Coordinates of all heavy atoms in Angstrom, one line a residue:
M1 N -1.8 29.1 18.2 CA -0.7 28.3 17.6 C 0.6 29.1 17.7 O 0.6 30.3 17.5 CB -1.0 28.0 16.2 CG -1.9 26.7 16.0 SD -1.1 25.6 14.9 CE -1.6 26.4 13.3
G2 N 1.6 28.4 18.0 CA 3.0 29.0 18.0 C 3.5 29.4 16.7 O 3.0 28.9 15.6
T3 N 4.3 30.4 16.7 CA 4.9 30.9 15.4 C 6.4 30.4 15.4 O 7.1 30.6 16.4 CB 4.9 32.4 15.4 OG1 3.5 32.8 15.7 CG2 5.2 33.0 14.0
P4 N 6.9 29.9 14.3 CA 8.3 29.5 14.2 C 9.2 30.7 14.4 O 9.0 31.7 13.9 CB 8.4 28.9 12.8 CG 7.1 29.0 12.2 CD 6.2 29.6 13.1
R5 N 10.3 30.5 15.2 CA 11.2 31.6 15.5 C 12.2 31.8 14.4 O 12.7 32.9 14.2 CB 12.0 31.3 16.8 CG 11.2 31.3 18.0 CD 12.1 31.2 19.2 NE 11.2 31.4 20.4 CZ 11.7 31.6 21.6 NH1 13.0 31.6 21.9 NH2 10.9 31.7 22.7
K6 N 12.6 30.7 13.8 CA 13.6 30.8 12.7 C 13.0 30.3 11.4 O 12.3 29.3 11.4 CB 14.8 29.9 13.1 CG 15.7 30.5 14.1 CD 17.0 30.9 13.5 CE 17.8 31.8 14.5 NZ 18.1 31.2 15.7
R7 N 13.3 31.0 10.3 CA 12.9 30.5 9.0 C 13.8 29.3 8.6 O 15.0 29.3 8.9 CB 13.2 31.7 8.1 CG 12.9 31.4 6.6 CD 13.3 32.6 5.8 NE 13.6 32.1 4.5 CZ 13.6 32.9 3.4 NH1 13.5 34.2 3.6 NH2 13.9 32.4 2.2
K8 N 13.1 28.3 8.0 CA 13.8 27.1 7.6 C 14.5 27.3 6.3 O 13.8 27.9 5.4 CB 12.9 25.9 7.6 CG 12.7 25.2 8.9 CD 11.8 24.0 8.8 CE 11.5 23.6 10.2 NZ 10.6 24.5 10.9
S9 N 15.7 26.9 6.1 CA 16.4 27.0 4.9 C 15.8 26.0 3.8 O 15.2 25.0 4.2 CB 17.9 26.7 5.1 OG 18.1 25.4 5.4
H10 N 16.0 26.3 2.6 CA 15.6 25.4 1.5 C 16.2 24.0 1.7 O 15.6 23.0 1.5 CB 16.0 26.0 0.1 CG 15.3 27.2 -0.2 ND1 13.9 27.2 -0.5 CD2 15.6 28.5 -0.4 CE1 13.5 28.4 -0.8 NE2 14.5 29.2 -0.7
S11 N 17.5 24.0 2.2 CA 18.1 22.7 2.4 C 17.4 21.9 3.5 O 17.2 20.8 3.3 CB 19.6 23.0 2.9 OG 20.2 21.9 3.3
R12 N 17.0 22.6 4.6 CA 16.3 21.9 5.7 C 15.0 21.4 5.2 O 14.6 20.3 5.5 CB 16.1 22.9 6.9 CG 17.3 23.0 7.8 CD 17.4 21.8 8.7 NE 18.8 21.7 9.2 CZ 19.3 20.6 9.6 NH1 18.6 19.5 9.7 NH2 20.5 20.5 10.0
I13 N 14.2 22.2 4.4 CA 12.9 21.8 3.9 C 13.1 20.5 3.0 O 12.4 19.6 3.1 CB 12.3 22.9 3.1 CG1 11.9 24.1 4.0 CG2 11.1 22.5 2.3 CD1 11.5 25.4 3.4
R14 N 14.1 20.6 2.2 CA 14.4 19.4 1.3 C 14.8 18.2 2.1 O 14.4 17.1 1.7 CB 15.5 19.8 0.3 CG 14.9 20.7 -0.8 CD 15.9 21.2 -1.7 NE 15.3 22.0 -2.8 CZ 16.0 22.6 -3.7 NH1 17.3 22.6 -3.7 NH2 15.4 23.4 -4.6
M15 N 15.6 18.4 3.1 CA 16.0 17.3 4.0 C 14.8 16.6 4.6 O 14.7 15.4 4.6 CB 17.0 17.7 5.1 CG 18.4 17.8 4.6 SD 19.6 17.9 6.0 CE 19.9 19.7 6.0
R16 N 13.9 17.4 5.1 CA 12.6 16.9 5.7 C 11.8 16.1 4.6 O 11.3 15.0 4.9 CB 11.8 18.0 6.2 CG 10.5 17.5 6.9 CD 9.8 18.7 7.6 NE 9.2 19.6 6.7 CZ 9.5 20.9 6.7 NH1 10.4 21.4 7.6 NH2 9.0 21.7 5.8
R17 N 11.7 16.7 3.4 CA 10.9 16.1 2.4 C 11.5 14.9 1.7 O 10.9 14.2 0.9 CB 10.6 17.1 1.3 CG 9.6 18.2 1.9 CD 9.2 19.2 0.9 NE 8.4 20.2 1.5 CZ 8.1 21.4 1.0 NH1 8.4 21.7 -0.3 NH2 7.3 22.2 1.6
S18 N 12.8 14.6 2.1 CA 13.4 13.4 1.5 C 12.8 12.2 1.9 O 13.0 11.1 1.3 CB 14.9 13.4 1.9 OG 15.1 13.1 3.2
H19 N 12.0 12.2 3.0 CA 11.3 11.0 3.5 C 9.8 10.9 3.0 O 9.1 10.0 3.4 CB 11.2 11.1 5.0 CG 12.6 11.0 5.6 ND1 13.3 9.8 5.8 CD2 13.4 12.0 6.0 CE1 14.4 10.1 6.4 NE2 14.6 11.4 6.5
H20 N 9.4 11.9 2.1 CA 8.0 11.9 1.7 C 7.6 11.1 0.5 O 6.5 10.9 0.3 CB 7.6 13.4 1.4 CG 7.5 14.2 2.7 ND1 7.0 15.5 2.6 CD2 7.8 14.0 3.9 CE1 7.1 16.0 3.9 NE2 7.6 15.1 4.7
A21 N 8.6 10.5 -0.1 CA 8.3 9.7 -1.3 C 7.5 8.5 -1.0 O 7.8 7.9 0.1 CB 9.6 9.4 -2.1
L22 N 6.6 8.1 -1.8 CA 5.8 6.9 -1.6 C 6.6 5.7 -2.2 O 7.2 5.7 -3.2 CB 4.5 7.0 -2.3 CG 3.5 8.1 -1.7 CD1 2.3 8.2 -2.6 CD2 3.2 7.8 -0.3
R23 N 6.5 4.6 -1.4 CA 7.1 3.3 -1.9 C 6.2 2.6 -2.8 O 5.0 2.8 -2.8 CB 7.4 2.4 -0.7 CG 8.4 3.0 0.4 CD 9.8 3.0 -0.1 NE 10.3 1.7 -0.6 CZ 10.7 0.7 0.2 NH1 10.6 0.7 1.5 NH2 11.1 -0.4 -0.4
R24 N 6.8 1.7 -3.6 CA 6.0 0.9 -4.5 C 5.1 -0.1 -3.7 O 5.5 -0.6 -2.7 CB 6.9 0.1 -5.4 CG 6.3 -0.8 -6.5 CD 7.4 -1.5 -7.2 NE 6.8 -2.5 -8.1 CZ 6.5 -3.7 -7.7 NH1 6.7 -4.1 -6.5 NH2 6.0 -4.6 -8.6
Q25 N 3.9 -0.3 -4.2 CA 2.9 -1.2 -3.6 C 3.5 -2.6 -3.6 O 3.9 -3.1 -4.6 CB 1.6 -1.1 -4.3 CG 0.5 -2.0 -3.8 CD -0.1 -1.4 -2.5 OE1 -0.1 -2.0 -1.5 NE2 -0.7 -0.2 -2.6
H26 N 3.5 -3.3 -2.5 CA 4.0 -4.7 -2.4 C 2.9 -5.6 -3.0 O 1.7 -5.5 -2.8 CB 4.3 -5.1 -1.0 CG 5.6 -4.8 -0.6 ND1 5.9 -3.8 0.4 CD2 6.8 -5.2 -1.0 CE1 7.2 -3.7 0.5 NE2 7.8 -4.5 -0.3
L27 N 3.4 -6.6 -3.7 CA 2.5 -7.6 -4.3 C 3.0 -9.0 -4.1 O 4.2 -9.3 -4.1 CB 2.4 -7.4 -5.8 CG 1.6 -6.1 -6.3 CD1 1.7 -6.0 -7.8 CD2 0.2 -6.2 -5.9
A28 N 2.1 -9.9 -3.8 CA 2.4 -11.3 -3.7 C 1.5 -12.1 -4.7 O 0.6 -11.5 -5.2 CB 2.1 -11.8 -2.3
S29 N 1.9 -13.3 -5.1 CA 1.0 -14.0 -6.0 C 0.1 -15.0 -5.3 O 0.4 -15.6 -4.3 CB 1.9 -14.7 -7.1 OG 2.8 -15.6 -6.5
C30 N -1.1 -15.1 -5.9 CA -2.1 -16.0 -5.4 C -1.7 -17.4 -5.5 O -1.3 -17.8 -6.6 CB -3.4 -15.7 -6.1 SG -4.7 -16.9 -5.7
P31 N -1.7 -18.3 -4.5 CA -1.3 -19.7 -4.6 C -2.2 -20.5 -5.6 O -1.7 -21.5 -6.1 CB -1.4 -20.2 -3.2 CG -2.2 -19.3 -2.5 CD -2.1 -17.9 -3.1
R32 N -3.4 -20.1 -5.8 CA -4.3 -20.9 -6.6 C -4.2 -20.4 -8.1 O -4.0 -21.2 -9.0 CB -5.8 -20.8 -6.2 CG -6.6 -21.9 -6.8 CD -7.9 -22.2 -6.2 NE -8.8 -21.1 -6.5 CZ -10.1 -21.1 -6.2 NH1 -10.6 -22.1 -5.4 NH2 -10.9 -20.1 -6.5
C33 N -4.4 -19.1 -8.4 CA -4.5 -18.7 -9.8 C -3.2 -18.0 -10.2 O -3.1 -17.7 -11.4 CB -5.7 -17.8 -10.0 SG -5.6 -16.2 -9.1
G34 N -2.3 -17.7 -9.3 CA -1.0 -17.1 -9.7 C -1.1 -15.6 -10.0 O -0.1 -15.0 -10.3
Q35 N -2.3 -15.0 -9.9 CA -2.4 -13.6 -10.2 C -1.8 -12.8 -9.0 O -1.7 -13.3 -7.9 CB -3.9 -13.2 -10.2 CG -4.6 -13.6 -11.5 CD -4.4 -12.6 -12.6 OE1 -4.5 -11.4 -12.4 NE2 -4.2 -13.1 -13.8
E36 N -1.4 -11.6 -9.3 CA -0.8 -10.8 -8.3 C -1.9 -10.3 -7.4 O -3.0 -10.0 -7.8 CB 0.0 -9.6 -8.9 CG 1.3 -10.1 -9.5 CD 2.2 -8.9 -9.8 OE1 1.8 -7.8 -10.2 OE2 3.5 -9.1 -9.6
R37 N -1.5 -10.3 -6.1 CA -2.5 -10.0 -5.1 C -1.8 -9.3 -3.9 O -0.6 -9.5 -3.7 CB -3.0 -11.4 -4.6 CG -3.9 -11.5 -3.4 CD -3.9 -12.9 -3.0 NE -2.6 -13.4 -2.6 CZ -2.3 -13.7 -1.3 NH1 -3.2 -13.6 -0.3 NH2 -1.1 -14.1 -1.0
R38 N -2.5 -8.4 -3.3 CA -1.8 -7.7 -2.1 C -1.8 -8.6 -1.0 O -2.7 -9.4 -0.7 CB -2.6 -6.4 -1.8 CG -2.5 -5.3 -2.8 CD -3.6 -4.3 -2.7 NE -3.4 -3.5 -1.5 CZ -4.3 -2.8 -0.9 NH1 -5.6 -2.9 -1.4 NH2 -4.1 -2.1 0.2
P39 N -0.7 -8.7 -0.2 CA -0.5 -9.6 0.9 C -1.6 -9.4 2.0 O -2.0 -8.3 2.2 CB 0.9 -9.3 1.5 CG 1.5 -8.3 0.6 CD 0.5 -7.8 -0.4
H40 N -2.1 -10.5 2.6 CA -3.1 -10.5 3.6 C -4.4 -9.9 3.1 O -5.3 -9.5 3.9 CB -2.6 -9.6 4.8 CG -1.3 -10.0 5.3 ND1 -1.0 -11.2 5.9 CD2 -0.1 -9.3 5.2 CE1 0.4 -11.2 6.2 NE2 0.9 -10.1 5.7
R41 N -4.7 -10.1 1.8 CA -5.9 -9.7 1.2 C -6.5 -10.8 0.4 O -5.7 -11.6 -0.1 CB -5.8 -8.5 0.3 CG -5.3 -7.2 0.9 CD -6.3 -6.6 1.9 NE -5.8 -5.3 2.5 CZ -5.0 -5.2 3.5 NH1 -4.4 -6.3 4.0 NH2 -4.6 -4.0 3.9
I42 N -7.8 -10.9 0.3 CA -8.4 -11.9 -0.6 C -8.0 -11.6 -2.0 O -7.9 -10.5 -2.4 CB -10.0 -11.8 -0.4 CG1 -10.4 -12.2 1.0 CG2 -10.7 -12.7 -1.4 CD1 -11.8 -11.8 1.3
C43 N -7.8 -12.7 -2.8 CA -7.5 -12.5 -4.2 C -8.6 -12.0 -5.0 O -9.7 -12.5 -4.9 CB -7.0 -13.9 -4.8 SG -6.7 -13.8 -6.5
D44 N -8.4 -10.9 -5.7 CA -9.5 -10.3 -6.5 C -9.9 -11.2 -7.6 O -11.1 -11.1 -8.1 CB -9.0 -9.0 -7.2 CG -9.0 -7.8 -6.2 OD1 -9.8 -7.9 -5.3 OD2 -8.3 -6.8 -6.4
H45 N -9.0 -12.0 -8.1 CA -9.3 -12.8 -9.3 C -10.1 -14.0 -9.0 O -11.0 -14.3 -9.7 CB -7.9 -13.2 -9.9 CG -8.0 -13.8 -11.3 ND1 -7.8 -15.1 -11.5 CD2 -8.3 -13.2 -12.4 CE1 -8.0 -15.3 -12.8 NE2 -8.3 -14.1 -13.4
C46 N -9.8 -14.8 -7.9 CA -10.6 -16.0 -7.6 C -11.2 -16.0 -6.2 O -11.9 -17.0 -5.9 CB -9.6 -17.2 -7.8 SG -8.2 -17.3 -6.7
G47 N -11.1 -15.0 -5.5 CA -11.7 -14.9 -4.2 C -11.1 -15.9 -3.1 O -11.8 -16.3 -2.2
F48 N -9.9 -16.2 -3.3 CA -9.2 -17.2 -2.5 C -8.4 -16.6 -1.4 O -7.8 -15.5 -1.6 CB -8.2 -18.0 -3.5 CG -7.7 -19.3 -3.0 CD1 -8.6 -20.4 -2.8 CD2 -6.4 -19.5 -2.7 CE1 -8.1 -21.6 -2.4 CE2 -5.9 -20.7 -2.2 CZ -6.8 -21.8 -2.1
Y49 N -8.5 -17.1 -0.2 CA -7.7 -16.6 0.9 C -7.5 -17.8 1.9 O -8.4 -18.4 2.3 CB -8.3 -15.4 1.6 CG -7.4 -14.8 2.6 CD1 -6.2 -14.2 2.2 CD2 -7.7 -14.9 4.0 CE1 -5.3 -13.7 3.2 CE2 -6.8 -14.4 4.9 CZ -5.6 -13.8 4.5 OH -4.8 -13.3 5.4
R50 N -6.2 -18.0 2.3 CA -5.9 -19.0 3.3 C -6.5 -20.4 3.0 O -7.3 -20.9 3.7 CB -6.4 -18.6 4.7 CG -5.5 -17.4 5.3 CD -4.4 -17.9 6.1 NE -4.5 -17.3 7.5 CZ -4.1 -18.0 8.6 NH1 -3.6 -19.2 8.5 NH2 -4.2 -17.4 9.7
D51 N -6.1 -20.9 1.8 CA -6.5 -22.2 1.3 C -8.0 -22.5 1.3 O -8.4 -23.6 1.5 CB -5.7 -23.4 1.9 CG -5.6 -23.3 3.4 OD1 -6.5 -23.6 4.1 OD2 -4.4 -23.0 3.8
R52 N -8.8 -21.5 1.1 CA -10.2 -21.7 0.8 C -10.8 -20.5 0.1 O -10.3 -19.4 0.1 CB -11.0 -22.0 2.1 CG -11.1 -20.8 3.0 CD -11.6 -21.2 4.4 NE -11.6 -20.0 5.3 CZ -12.7 -19.2 5.4 NH1 -13.8 -19.4 4.7 NH2 -12.6 -18.1 6.1
T53 N -11.9 -20.8 -0.6 CA -12.6 -19.7 -1.3 C -13.5 -18.9 -0.3 O -14.3 -19.5 0.4 CB -13.5 -20.3 -2.4 OG1 -12.7 -21.1 -3.3 CG2 -14.1 -19.1 -3.3
V54 N -13.2 -17.6 -0.2 CA -13.9 -16.8 0.7 C -15.1 -16.1 0.1 O -16.2 -16.0 0.6 CB -13.0 -15.8 1.4 CG1 -13.7 -15.0 2.5 CG2 -11.8 -16.5 2.1
V55 N -14.8 -15.6 -1.1 CA -15.8 -14.8 -1.9 C -16.1 -15.5 -3.2 O -15.2 -16.0 -3.9 CB -15.2 -13.4 -2.2 CG1 -16.2 -12.6 -3.0 CG2 -14.9 -12.6 -0.9
D56 N -17.4 -15.7 -3.5 CA -17.7 -16.3 -4.8 C -17.6 -15.2 -5.9 O -18.4 -14.3 -5.9 CB -19.2 -16.8 -4.7 CG -19.6 -17.6 -5.9 OD1 -18.8 -17.6 -6.9 OD2 -20.6 -18.2 -5.9
V57 N -16.5 -15.3 -6.6 CA -16.2 -14.2 -7.6 C -17.3 -14.2 -8.7 O -17.7 -13.1 -9.2 CB -14.8 -14.4 -8.3 CG1 -14.5 -13.4 -9.3 CG2 -13.8 -14.4 -7.2
E58 N -17.8 -15.3 -9.1 CA -18.9 -15.4 -10.2 C -20.1 -14.6 -9.7 O -20.6 -13.8 -10.5 CB -19.2 -16.8 -10.5 CG -18.1 -17.8 -10.8 CD -17.4 -17.4 -12.1 OE1 -18.1 -17.2 -13.1 OE2 -16.2 -17.2 -12.1
A59 N -20.5 -14.8 -8.5 CA -21.7 -14.2 -8.0 C -21.5 -12.7 -7.7 O -22.4 -11.8 -8.0 CB -22.2 -14.8 -6.7
E60 N -20.3 -12.3 -7.3 CA -19.9 -10.9 -7.0 C -19.9 -10.1 -8.2 O -20.1 -8.9 -8.2 CB -18.6 -10.9 -6.3 CG -18.5 -11.5 -4.9 CD -19.1 -10.6 -3.8 OE1 -18.8 -9.4 -3.8 OE2 -20.0 -11.0 -3.1
A61 N -19.5 -10.7 -9.4 CA -19.4 -10.0 -10.6 C -20.7 -9.3 -11.1 O -20.6 -8.3 -11.8 CB -18.8 -10.9 -11.7
E62 N -21.8 -9.9 -10.7 CA -23.1 -9.4 -11.2 C -23.5 -8.1 -10.5 O -23.0 -7.7 -9.5 CB -24.2 -10.4 -11.0 CG -24.1 -11.5 -12.1 CD -24.8 -12.8 -11.6 OE1 -25.9 -12.7 -11.0 OE2 -24.3 -13.9 -11.9
Ligands
ZN1 ZN1 -6.4 -16.1 -7.1

């Protein structure tokens, strides 16, 4: 592996790390139950996705 020729300043390190922060998780609401749901995912609350029930939540709970 190569060895860096120049030591990076604290400023440079911080400038690089300015992009490392995590963004807030995006949430959309379920059209059927209104619960918050991650976009493009089945609703955890009612198992609903794209105007039909995909997962039977009652059966899955057991
Ligand atoms: Zn739902």
